[in-house]
Amino acid sequence: VLFRSLVTRHSSLLKSVLFNARFLLSHQMEGIGWFSFEVIRRIAAAHREVRFVYAFDRAFDERFLTSDNIEPVVLRPPARHPFLFWLFFEWALPRLVARRQFDAFFSPDGFLSLRVKVPTLLTIHDLAYAHFPNQVGWLAQKYYERYMPMFAHRAERIAAVSSFTKADIVQRLGVAADKIDVVYNGCNEAYRPLSEADKMAARARWSGGEAYFIYVGSIHPRKNVARILRAFEQFKTQTAGAERMRLLLVGRMAWQTGEVGEVLAQMRHREAVVLLGYVDMADLPQLVGAAMASVYASLFEGFGVPILEAMRAGVPVICSDSSSMPEVAGGAGLLVNPQSVDSIAAAMQQVFCDAPLREKMQREGLASSERFGWDLTAQKVWSSLERCLSEGKTAAGEK
C-alpha cells in the first residue's frame, strides 16, 4: 500500500513497458535475478494500467507472472554466450519491437539492444570486467570491452546499484553523472533476527550444533574465498577456544576455483569447513541468521547483497574496505583489507572473542539495513523509467 501510494501520485505517460526477463530463472536464481524479480513485480503490481511484456530467452516459470498485466514472450535463442547475446538483443528483440508498440524498455542485467529505438533504462550492477579482466573468459571480456561503453551511452538513463558503481561508470565509461540514478538493492523480507531456539535448530541442521562463520556467494577468484579459508585456518590456530568453530561456504562453484581446492586440500582444519553449495532461498535466512558473523571479504562488489542480508538478520558483518562495501555496511561492519589474510583473521578473532562488540554490531547492522528495501528500489526504478520516457521524447524532438 505504501509503495502504491508513492508511485501513483500522478498519472504516468507509460502504457507499455518491455522488460528483459533473461535472469528470471526457476532454479538457482542469484543476484541479478533477484533484483529483476523483486523490482519488476512491485512495479507491475502498483501500475495495473501499464502493460508489461516480459521477454524471456527460454521456457519460463508461471510463478514469475505475478499480476494480470504481465504478458510473457519467449524469444530465441537462449542468450548465454556472447554470440547468442548479440542474436537475442540485436535480432530477436528488434523483431519483437517492430511488431509491438512500447513506451520504454527496462533491462536490469547490464545489456541492451543498440537497434531498438525505444527509450531505454539500463541497470548496471558493476564494472568488474574492467577491474579484473583476467577473471573473465576471453570472448566474454572482448564483448564487455566493446559493448558496455556503447550500452551505457545508448541508454536514456542508467540505474546504478550504489554510489560507488555510479562513480565507476562516470570515470570508466565517460557517462554524464546526471544521467545515472542510484537505486540500490534490497533483500528478501525473510531475513530477520532469529530466536536462540531457532539458531540452535539451524546449527543442529547445518553445522553439527557448532557455532560458525558464514560466507554466502558464488565461488570464483573475485570473491576472495581462498584468502577467507587461509584466514580461518590462521584464526583457528591462533585463537583460544575456537577449536569447535566452523566456517560454512554457501554458493555454487562458478569458475577458476582451482586455488580454493588447493587451499582446502592443504588445510590443517579442513574438517571445520563445510561446503554447502547452492542453498535454496527458503533455507538461507535461517542459515545466515544463526551465524556468529558473516565474512564477506570480496575483492570488488557493485553492491554486496550478502552484507545487507546479514545485517537484516542481526548478524555481525566482516567485509572488505574497498569498492561499494563500506557504503553498504554504513559504519556497522568490521572492515578488513581483502588482500591481507592477517586482516581477515584478526577480524574473525575480534568478533569471536568480544561478545559486547558482537552485540553492538548486531544493533548497528539492523539500524543500517533500514536504509535499503525493495519497495524503495522499485520506487526509484519507476521514477527512472518515467524520466527515461520524457528524455527519450525530448531527444526525438531535438532530432
Side-chain angles (χ1 to χ4, degrees):
V1 173
L2 173 61
F3 175 57
R4 184 184 295 273
S5 69
L6 288 171
V7 298
T8 57
R9 290 172 295 180
H10 60 279
S11 177
S12 173
L13 296 175
L14 288 164
K15 299 303 177 188
S16 181
V17 173
L18 176 61
F19 171 66
N20 168 15
R22 287 194 314 130
F23 276 79
L24 297 188
L25 305 173
S26 57
H27 300 290
Q28 298 194 6
M29 199 152 68
E30 295 181 340
I32 294 177
W34 284 113
F35 177 93
S36 303
F37 175 67
E38 296 290 356
V39 169
I40 198 64
R41 74 180 180 92
R42 283 170 167 80
I43 289 175
H47 290 279
R48 301 284 181 155
E49 77 284 1
V50 179
R51 190 71 177 167
F52 293 88
V53 176
Y54 284 21
F56 292 92
D57 69 339
R58 63 189 66 203
F60 60 89
D61 193 318
E62 295 282 343
R63 290 176 295 180
F64 292 130
L65 311 182
T66 53
S67 54
D68 57 11
N69 56 334
I70 296 171
E71 175 189 347
V73 174
V74 178
L75 304 178
R76 299 298 183 188
R80 304 295 156 176
H81 181 280
F83 290 124
L84 301 180
F85 295 160
W86 188 90
L87 287 172
F88 181 84
F89 285 99
E90 306 304 335
W91 181 74
L93 274 177
R95 283 168 60 91
L96 172 63
V97 172
R99 301 192 305 268
R100 303 285 295 269
Q101 180 70 38
F102 297 104
D103 298 314
F105 174 38
F106 172 35
S107 184
D109 66 9
F111 295 171
L112 54 70
S113 173
L114 299 171
R115 293 181 58 213
V116 166
K117 302 308 179 185
V118 175
T120 298
L121 172 65
L122 177 68
T123 302
I124 296 181
H125 297 265
D126 63 59
L127 299 180
Y129 78 90
H131 293 265
F132 298 92
N134 295 329
Q135 295 182 9
V136 181
W138 181 85
L139 188 58
Q141 179 66 20
K142 294 303 179 185
Y143 184 91
Y144 294 142
E145 289 175 354
R146 175 174 173 78
Y147 285 105
M148 286 299 292
M150 293 184 182
F151 294 160
H153 286 276
R154 159 63 189 90
E156 272 70 26
R157 295 206 66 77
I158 295 172
V161 297
S162 64
S163 294
F164 169 82
T165 295
K166 175 176 178 174
D168 211 22
I169 295 167
V170 171
Q171 179 182 354
R172 291 182 176 270
L173 302 185
V175 175
D178 61 5
K179 176 177 168 173
I180 307 171
D181 302 315
V182 176
V183 301
Y184 289 119
N185 273 281
C187 74
N188 192 291
E189 295 172 356
Y191 286 94
R192 57 174 60 91
L194 300 182
S195 67
E196 287 303 315
D198 287 339
K199 289 180 182 179
M200 290 178 62
R203 290 170 184 164
R205 179 180 178 185
W206 300 105
S207 65
E210 305 296 348
Y212 57 84
F213 296 126
I214 192 167
Y215 163 81
V216 178
S218 55
I219 296 175
H220 57 79
R222 181 165 57 84
K223 298 298 186 178
N224 208 29
V225 175
R227 284 196 183 92
I228 293 173
L229 289 169
R230 292 190 179 100
F232 180 68
E233 177 90 324
Q234 184 171 313
F235 157 79
K236 290 275 286 186
T237 302
Q238 298 179 354
T239 307
E243 295 82 9
R244 299 173 68 176
M245 193 70 179
R246 301 286 185 262
L247 171 64
L248 274 55
L249 302 183
V250 181
R252 65 183 176 89
M253 290 285 184
W255 60 83
Q256 298 180 16
T257 59
E259 185 182 8
V260 170
E262 292 171 4
V263 174
L264 284 168
Q266 298 167 5
M267 288 184 69
R268 174 184 172 190
H269 299 286
R270 171 64 182 85
E271 78 289 345
V273 179
V274 183
L275 277 68
L276 294 174
Y278 180 86
V279 173
D280 190 85
M281 184 60 223
D283 292 320
L284 268 178
Q286 289 72 37
L287 187 56
V288 172
M292 178 176 288
S294 169
V295 183
Y296 200 72
S298 175
L299 296 175
F300 178 91
E301 293 294 327
F303 183 86
V305 171
I307 297 171
L308 173 57
E309 291 170 341
M311 292 193 303
R312 187 66 55 84
V315 172
V317 170
I318 297 168
C319 68
S320 301
D321 62 2
S322 58
S323 63
S324 65
M325 288 171 278
E327 180 182 350
V328 177
L334 200 56
L335 301 184
V336 300
N337 176 358
Q339 303 282 356
S340 168
V341 170
D342 289 344
S343 179
I344 301 168
M348 291 179 175
Q349 187 175 59
Q350 190 174 357
V351 170
F352 177 82
C353 296
D354 193 338
L357 173 65
R358 291 199 301 271
E359 294 173 2
K360 177 176 180 288
M361 293 176 70
Q362 289 166 350
R363 292 193 306 271
E364 292 180 352
L366 276 169
S368 185
S369 73
E370 294 301 320
R371 297 174 294 137
F372 308 104
W374 286 127
D375 284 351
L376 182 58
T377 303
Q379 175 197 346
K380 290 180 176 180
V381 169
W382 178 254
S383 296
S384 294
L385 269 170
E386 292 194 311
R387 291 186 66 184
C388 180
L389 175 61
S390 63
E391 290 170 14
K393 288 187 173 183
T394 299
E398 290 174 351
K399 293 177 183 178

